[in-house]
mmCIF file of all heavy atoms in Angstrom:
data_model
loop_
_atom_site.group_PDB
_atom_site.id
_atom_site.type_symbol
_atom_site.label_atom_id
_atom_site.label_comp_id
_atom_site.label_asym_id
_atom_site.label_seq_id
_atom_site.Cartn_x
_atom_site.Cartn_y
_atom_site.Cartn_z
ATOM 1 N N VAL A 1 111.131 123.249 108.587
ATOM 2 C CA VAL A 1 110.698 121.881 108.343
ATOM 3 C C VAL A 1 109.835 121.416 109.524
ATOM 4 O O VAL A 1 110.331 121.298 110.645
ATOM 5 C CB VAL A 1 111.867 120.922 108.148
ATOM 6 C CG1 VAL A 1 111.395 119.599 107.583
ATOM 7 C CG2 VAL A 1 112.940 121.531 107.231
ATOM 8 N N ALA A 2 108.576 121.173 109.258
ATOM 9 C CA ALA A 2 107.667 120.736 110.341
ATOM 10 C C ALA A 2 107.771 119.256 110.617
ATOM 11 O O ALA A 2 108.410 118.487 109.869
ATOM 12 C CB ALA A 2 106.234 121.117 109.957
ATOM 13 N N GLY A 3 107.134 118.840 111.689
ATOM 14 C CA GLY A 3 107.268 117.469 112.167
ATOM 15 C C GLY A 3 106.417 116.469 111.430
ATOM 16 O O GLY A 3 105.885 116.728 110.333
ATOM 17 N N ALA A 4 106.322 115.283 111.987
ATOM 18 C CA ALA A 4 105.661 114.142 111.368
ATOM 19 C C ALA A 4 104.226 114.523 110.951
ATOM 20 O O ALA A 4 103.500 115.239 111.649
ATOM 21 C CB ALA A 4 105.597 112.966 112.324
ATOM 22 N N ARG A 5 103.858 114.071 109.755
ATOM 23 C CA ARG A 5 102.503 114.198 109.205
ATOM 24 C C ARG A 5 102.215 115.584 108.667
ATOM 25 O O ARG A 5 101.133 115.806 108.099
ATOM 26 C CB ARG A 5 101.446 113.801 110.228
ATOM 27 C CG ARG A 5 101.658 112.460 110.909
ATOM 28 C CD ARG A 5 100.486 112.159 111.868
ATOM 29 N NE ARG A 5 100.651 110.893 112.551
ATOM 30 C CZ ARG A 5 101.184 110.767 113.761
ATOM 31 N NH1 ARG A 5 101.597 111.877 114.442
ATOM 32 N NH2 ARG A 5 101.291 109.601 114.362
ATOM 33 N N LEU A 6 103.120 116.536 108.831
ATOM 34 C CA LEU A 6 102.854 117.915 108.438
ATOM 35 C C LEU A 6 103.675 118.302 107.177
ATOM 36 O O LEU A 6 104.587 117.571 106.764
ATOM 37 C CB LEU A 6 103.212 118.855 109.561
ATOM 38 C CG LEU A 6 102.512 118.613 110.901
ATOM 39 C CD1 LEU A 6 103.033 119.531 111.984
ATOM 40 C CD2 LEU A 6 100.986 118.743 110.772
ATOM 41 N N GLY A 7 103.348 119.461 106.588
ATOM 42 C CA GLY A 7 104.047 119.936 105.428
ATOM 43 C C GLY A 7 104.404 121.409 105.579
ATOM 44 O O GLY A 7 104.248 121.997 106.658
ATOM 45 N N ALA A 8 104.816 122.023 104.489
ATOM 46 C CA ALA A 8 105.223 123.422 104.483
ATOM 47 C C ALA A 8 104.061 124.314 105.010
ATOM 48 O O ALA A 8 104.311 125.359 105.628
ATOM 49 C CB ALA A 8 105.617 123.847 103.080
ATOM 50 N N TRP A 9 102.839 123.925 104.761
ATOM 51 C CA TRP A 9 101.684 124.721 105.174
ATOM 52 C C TRP A 9 101.661 125.020 106.671
ATOM 53 O O TRP A 9 101.054 125.988 107.106
ATOM 54 C CB TRP A 9 100.410 123.993 104.779
ATOM 55 C CG TRP A 9 100.244 122.660 105.464
ATOM 56 C CD1 TRP A 9 100.712 121.450 105.024
ATOM 57 C CD2 TRP A 9 99.584 122.429 106.701
ATOM 58 N NE1 TRP A 9 100.372 120.477 105.935
ATOM 59 C CE2 TRP A 9 99.689 121.040 106.977
ATOM 60 C CE3 TRP A 9 98.911 123.221 107.614
ATOM 61 C CZ2 TRP A 9 99.136 120.451 108.106
ATOM 62 C CZ3 TRP A 9 98.385 122.670 108.748
ATOM 63 C CH2 TRP A 9 98.488 121.289 108.989
ATOM 64 N N ALA A 10 102.296 124.177 107.460
ATOM 65 C CA ALA A 10 102.273 124.341 108.921
ATOM 66 C C ALA A 10 102.907 125.639 109.374
ATOM 67 O O ALA A 10 102.681 126.114 110.510
ATOM 68 C CB ALA A 10 102.961 123.166 109.601
ATOM 69 N N TRP A 11 103.740 126.239 108.516
ATOM 70 C CA TRP A 11 104.464 127.483 108.860
ATOM 71 C C TRP A 11 103.772 128.746 108.358
ATOM 72 O O TRP A 11 104.329 129.833 108.413
ATOM 73 C CB TRP A 11 105.892 127.416 108.315
ATOM 74 C CG TRP A 11 106.682 126.241 108.822
ATOM 75 C CD1 TRP A 11 106.917 125.080 108.161
ATOM 76 C CD2 TRP A 11 107.292 126.105 110.094
ATOM 77 N NE1 TRP A 11 107.651 124.230 108.939
ATOM 78 C CE2 TRP A 11 107.902 124.828 110.153
ATOM 79 C CE3 TRP A 11 107.369 126.938 111.213
ATOM 80 C CZ2 TRP A 11 108.599 124.378 111.270
ATOM 81 C CZ3 TRP A 11 108.071 126.495 112.329
ATOM 82 C CH2 TRP A 11 108.689 125.201 112.346
ATOM 83 N N ASP A 12 102.545 128.613 107.815
ATOM 84 C CA ASP A 12 101.898 129.757 107.181
ATOM 85 C C ASP A 12 101.787 130.990 108.062
ATOM 86 O O ASP A 12 101.823 132.119 107.542
ATOM 87 C CB ASP A 12 100.485 129.344 106.703
ATOM 88 C CG ASP A 12 100.531 128.491 105.467
ATOM 89 O OD1 ASP A 12 101.603 128.285 104.883
ATOM 90 O OD2 ASP A 12 99.435 128.011 105.041
ATOM 91 N N GLU A 13 101.642 130.826 109.373
ATOM 92 C CA GLU A 13 101.488 131.948 110.242
ATOM 93 C C GLU A 13 102.808 132.492 110.803
ATOM 94 O O GLU A 13 102.841 133.554 111.403
ATOM 95 C CB GLU A 13 100.549 131.604 111.401
ATOM 96 C CG GLU A 13 99.100 131.352 110.968
ATOM 97 C CD GLU A 13 98.215 131.034 112.114
ATOM 98 O OE1 GLU A 13 98.170 131.793 113.124
ATOM 99 O OE2 GLU A 13 97.515 129.978 112.050
ATOM 100 N N VAL A 14 103.873 131.764 110.633
ATOM 101 C CA VAL A 14 105.193 132.136 111.066
ATOM 102 C C VAL A 14 105.938 132.914 109.990
ATOM 103 O O VAL A 14 106.596 133.924 110.251
ATOM 104 C CB VAL A 14 106.039 130.918 111.514
ATOM 105 C CG1 VAL A 14 107.457 131.304 111.864
ATOM 106 C CG2 VAL A 14 105.369 130.224 112.701
ATOM 107 N N VAL A 15 105.825 132.471 108.745
ATOM 108 C CA VAL A 15 106.563 133.036 107.632
ATOM 109 C C VAL A 15 106.388 134.558 107.483
ATOM 110 O O VAL A 15 107.385 135.266 107.286
ATOM 111 C CB VAL A 15 106.150 132.318 106.312
ATOM 112 C CG1 VAL A 15 106.595 133.104 105.088
ATOM 113 C CG2 VAL A 15 106.770 130.932 106.272
ATOM 114 N N PRO A 16 105.174 135.124 107.614
ATOM 115 C CA PRO A 16 105.054 136.572 107.421
ATOM 116 C C PRO A 16 105.883 137.386 108.427
ATOM 117 O O PRO A 16 106.389 138.450 108.049
ATOM 118 C CB PRO A 16 103.530 136.792 107.621
ATOM 119 C CG PRO A 16 102.902 135.501 107.279
ATOM 120 C CD PRO A 16 103.831 134.464 107.761
ATOM 121 N N TYR A 17 106.016 136.928 109.629
ATOM 122 C CA TYR A 17 106.843 137.636 110.614
ATOM 123 C C TYR A 17 108.295 137.678 110.218
ATOM 124 O O TYR A 17 108.988 138.701 110.383
ATOM 125 C CB TYR A 17 106.694 137.050 112.008
ATOM 126 C CG TYR A 17 105.306 137.176 112.616
ATOM 127 C CD1 TYR A 17 104.461 136.072 112.754
ATOM 128 C CD2 TYR A 17 104.864 138.400 113.112
ATOM 129 C CE1 TYR A 17 103.186 136.181 113.310
ATOM 130 C CE2 TYR A 17 103.614 138.521 113.675
ATOM 131 C CZ TYR A 17 102.755 137.420 113.783
ATOM 132 O OH TYR A 17 101.542 137.547 114.311
ATOM 133 N N LEU A 18 108.787 136.573 109.677
ATOM 134 C CA LEU A 18 110.196 136.480 109.285
ATOM 135 C C LEU A 18 110.444 137.373 108.076
ATOM 136 O O LEU A 18 111.458 138.095 108.024
ATOM 137 C CB LEU A 18 110.568 135.048 108.986
ATOM 138 C CG LEU A 18 110.383 134.038 110.123
ATOM 139 C CD1 LEU A 18 110.701 132.634 109.657
ATOM 140 C CD2 LEU A 18 111.223 134.400 111.330
ATOM 141 N N ARG A 19 109.542 137.338 107.129
ATOM 142 C CA ARG A 19 109.728 138.157 105.920
ATOM 143 C C ARG A 19 109.560 139.621 106.203
ATOM 144 O O ARG A 19 110.251 140.441 105.621
ATOM 145 C CB ARG A 19 108.748 137.681 104.833
ATOM 146 C CG ARG A 19 109.124 136.290 104.317
ATOM 147 C CD ARG A 19 108.185 135.776 103.258
ATOM 148 N NE ARG A 19 108.660 134.476 102.731
ATOM 149 C CZ ARG A 19 107.886 133.641 102.045
ATOM 150 N NH1 ARG A 19 106.645 133.940 101.786
ATOM 151 N NH2 ARG A 19 108.409 132.490 101.619
ATOM 152 N N ALA A 20 108.654 139.973 107.148
ATOM 153 C CA ALA A 20 108.455 141.375 107.491
ATOM 154 C C ALA A 20 109.742 141.957 108.165
ATOM 155 O O ALA A 20 109.962 143.172 108.076
ATOM 156 C CB ALA A 20 107.281 141.490 108.459
ATOM 157 N N ALA A 21 110.526 141.082 108.771
ATOM 158 C CA ALA A 21 111.777 141.509 109.384
ATOM 159 C C ALA A 21 112.901 141.555 108.369
ATOM 160 O O ALA A 21 114.087 141.799 108.758
ATOM 161 C CB ALA A 21 112.125 140.599 110.538
ATOM 162 N N GLY A 22 112.631 141.273 107.129
ATOM 163 C CA GLY A 22 113.647 141.402 106.087
ATOM 164 C C GLY A 22 114.420 140.137 105.755
ATOM 165 O O GLY A 22 115.427 140.224 105.062
ATOM 166 N N HIS A 23 113.943 139.015 106.243
ATOM 167 C CA HIS A 23 114.672 137.748 106.048
ATOM 168 C C HIS A 23 113.966 136.861 104.985
ATOM 169 O O HIS A 23 112.804 137.037 104.696
ATOM 170 C CB HIS A 23 114.797 136.980 107.358
ATOM 171 C CG HIS A 23 115.557 137.747 108.414
ATOM 172 N ND1 HIS A 23 116.924 137.952 108.367
ATOM 173 C CD2 HIS A 23 115.128 138.399 109.529
ATOM 174 C CE1 HIS A 23 117.293 138.692 109.411
ATOM 175 N NE2 HIS A 23 116.225 138.961 110.147
ATOM 176 N N GLY A 24 114.710 135.886 104.485
ATOM 177 C CA GLY A 24 114.116 134.899 103.625
ATOM 178 C C GLY A 24 113.495 133.801 104.485
ATOM 179 O O GLY A 24 114.017 133.424 105.510
ATOM 180 N N ALA A 25 112.333 133.271 104.024
ATOM 181 C CA ALA A 25 111.671 132.218 104.725
ATOM 182 C C ALA A 25 111.209 131.179 103.721
ATOM 183 O O ALA A 25 110.504 131.491 102.753
ATOM 184 C CB ALA A 25 110.473 132.731 105.510
ATOM 185 N N HIS A 26 111.688 129.955 103.909
ATOM 186 C CA HIS A 26 111.469 128.888 102.938
ATOM 187 C C HIS A 26 110.890 127.661 103.578
ATOM 188 O O HIS A 26 111.634 126.727 103.973
ATOM 189 C CB HIS A 26 112.802 128.569 102.243
ATOM 190 C CG HIS A 26 113.529 129.776 101.702
ATOM 191 N ND1 HIS A 26 113.214 130.354 100.498
ATOM 192 C CD2 HIS A 26 114.533 130.528 102.245
ATOM 193 C CE1 HIS A 26 113.956 131.411 100.339
ATOM 194 N NE2 HIS A 26 114.818 131.528 101.365
ATOM 195 N N PRO A 27 109.581 127.611 103.802
ATOM 196 C CA PRO A 27 108.990 126.403 104.359
ATOM 197 C C PRO A 27 109.089 125.251 103.390
ATOM 198 O O PRO A 27 108.938 125.420 102.174
ATOM 199 C CB PRO A 27 107.534 126.840 104.591
ATOM 200 C CG PRO A 27 107.271 127.918 103.613
ATOM 201 C CD PRO A 27 108.598 128.625 103.476
ATOM 202 N N LEU A 28 109.398 124.066 103.917
ATOM 203 C CA LEU A 28 109.704 122.923 103.057
ATOM 204 C C LEU A 28 108.799 121.736 103.439
ATOM 205 O O LEU A 28 108.675 121.379 104.595
ATOM 206 C CB LEU A 28 111.161 122.532 103.240
ATOM 207 C CG LEU A 28 111.668 121.282 102.539
ATOM 208 C CD1 LEU A 28 111.580 121.434 101.027
ATOM 209 C CD2 LEU A 28 113.117 120.982 102.938
ATOM 210 N N THR A 29 108.221 121.100 102.417
ATOM 211 C CA THR A 29 107.530 119.835 102.601
ATOM 212 C C THR A 29 108.468 118.714 102.280
ATOM 213 O O THR A 29 109.086 118.677 101.224
ATOM 214 C CB THR A 29 106.274 119.758 101.687
ATOM 215 O OG1 THR A 29 105.327 120.741 102.067
ATOM 216 C CG2 THR A 29 105.636 118.372 101.806
ATOM 217 N N LEU A 30 108.598 117.751 103.182
ATOM 218 C CA LEU A 30 109.438 116.588 102.966
ATOM 219 C C LEU A 30 108.743 115.566 102.077
ATOM 220 O O LEU A 30 107.491 115.517 102.010
ATOM 221 C CB LEU A 30 109.809 115.953 104.297
ATOM 222 C CG LEU A 30 110.646 116.807 105.261
ATOM 223 C CD1 LEU A 30 110.816 116.098 106.590
ATOM 224 C CD2 LEU A 30 111.991 117.175 104.672
ATOM 225 N N SER A 31 109.518 114.765 101.420
ATOM 226 C CA SER A 31 108.975 113.733 100.496
ATOM 227 C C SER A 31 107.981 112.830 101.191
ATOM 228 O O SER A 31 108.214 112.392 102.339
ATOM 229 C CB SER A 31 110.109 112.902 99.896
ATOM 230 O OG SER A 31 110.940 113.703 99.069
ATOM 231 N N GLY A 32 106.873 112.529 100.512
ATOM 232 C CA GLY A 32 105.873 111.620 101.063
ATOM 233 C C GLY A 32 104.788 112.239 101.876
ATOM 234 O O GLY A 32 103.868 111.580 102.298
ATOM 235 N N LEU A 33 104.892 113.569 102.089
ATOM 236 C CA LEU A 33 103.940 114.270 102.966
ATOM 237 C C LEU A 33 103.203 115.391 102.199
ATOM 238 O O LEU A 33 103.723 115.922 101.234
ATOM 239 C CB LEU A 33 104.652 114.857 104.157
ATOM 240 C CG LEU A 33 105.308 113.831 105.089
ATOM 241 C CD1 LEU A 33 106.345 114.488 105.969
ATOM 242 C CD2 LEU A 33 104.244 113.153 105.922
ATOM 243 N N ALA A 34 102.027 115.727 102.681
ATOM 244 C CA ALA A 34 101.284 116.896 102.195
ATOM 245 C C ALA A 34 101.232 116.947 100.688
ATOM 246 O O ALA A 34 100.805 115.957 100.058
ATOM 247 C CB ALA A 34 101.834 118.182 102.803
ATOM 248 N N ASP A 35 101.733 118.024 100.071
ATOM 249 C CA ASP A 35 101.713 118.162 98.615
ATOM 250 C C ASP A 35 102.684 117.216 97.923
ATOM 251 O O ASP A 35 102.689 117.131 96.693
ATOM 252 C CB ASP A 35 101.979 119.601 98.217
ATOM 253 C CG ASP A 35 103.219 120.200 98.872
ATOM 254 O OD1 ASP A 35 103.231 120.290 100.130
ATOM 255 O OD2 ASP A 35 104.159 120.570 98.135
ATOM 256 N N LYS A 36 103.547 116.513 98.678
ATOM 257 C CA LYS A 36 104.427 115.536 98.083
ATOM 258 C C LYS A 36 104.013 114.102 98.484
ATOM 259 O O LYS A 36 104.840 113.172 98.427
ATOM 260 C CB LYS A 36 105.901 115.809 98.551
ATOM 261 C CG LYS A 36 106.426 117.142 98.051
ATOM 262 C CD LYS A 36 107.877 117.342 98.498
ATOM 263 C CE LYS A 36 108.431 118.676 98.012
ATOM 264 N NZ LYS A 36 109.777 118.928 98.512
ATOM 265 N N ARG A 37 102.783 113.982 98.846
ATOM 266 C CA ARG A 37 102.285 112.645 99.231
ATOM 267 C C ARG A 37 102.404 111.701 98.008
ATOM 268 O O ARG A 37 102.119 112.067 96.885
ATOM 269 C CB ARG A 37 100.793 112.763 99.647
ATOM 270 C CG ARG A 37 100.230 111.466 100.246
ATOM 271 C CD ARG A 37 98.873 111.735 100.830
ATOM 272 N NE ARG A 37 98.343 110.503 101.477
ATOM 273 C CZ ARG A 37 97.190 110.461 102.109
ATOM 274 N NH1 ARG A 37 96.427 111.540 102.211
ATOM 275 N NH2 ARG A 37 96.768 109.312 102.636
ATOM 276 N N GLY A 38 102.850 110.481 98.291
ATOM 277 C CA GLY A 38 103.026 109.510 97.229
ATOM 278 C C GLY A 38 104.476 109.399 96.742
ATOM 279 O O GLY A 38 104.835 108.457 96.081
ATOM 280 N N VAL A 39 105.297 110.398 97.086
ATOM 281 C CA VAL A 39 106.726 110.364 96.727
ATOM 282 C C VAL A 39 107.414 109.411 97.706
ATOM 283 O O VAL A 39 107.332 109.568 98.914
ATOM 284 C CB VAL A 39 107.365 111.742 96.797
ATOM 285 C CG1 VAL A 39 108.859 111.675 96.483
ATOM 286 C CG2 VAL A 39 106.637 112.684 95.823
ATOM 287 N N PRO A 40 108.119 108.357 97.208
ATOM 288 C CA PRO A 40 108.795 107.438 98.104
ATOM 289 C C PRO A 40 109.828 108.147 98.996
ATOM 290 O O PRO A 40 110.493 109.104 98.550
ATOM 291 C CB PRO A 40 109.518 106.460 97.154
ATOM 292 C CG PRO A 40 108.763 106.586 95.866
ATOM 293 C CD PRO A 40 108.306 108.032 95.793
ATOM 294 N N ALA A 41 109.919 107.740 100.245
ATOM 295 C CA ALA A 41 110.829 108.428 101.153
ATOM 296 C C ALA A 41 111.403 107.471 102.196
ATOM 297 O O ALA A 41 110.727 106.649 102.748
ATOM 298 C CB ALA A 41 110.111 109.549 101.870
#
């Protein structure tokens, strides 16, 4: 979960390293931000 003003996209360069190591990686956009802009929060 990225900081203020950011969304799941902020982790795009981190996720591949985690998945390459065999783990699950689930970047999350919080309500009202990025692709969830307009959702009350």
Side-chain angles (χ1 to χ4, degrees):
V1 193
R5 310 182 181 96
L6 304 175
W9 63 272
W11 302 102
D12 284 354
E13 293 180 52
V14 174
V15 164
Y17 293 108
L18 302 177
R19 290 180 176 162
H23 300 288
H26 309 279
L28 175 64
T29 295
L30 297 174
S31 295
L33 296 162
D35 51 298
K36 295 181 182 176
R37 189 171 182 177
V39 177

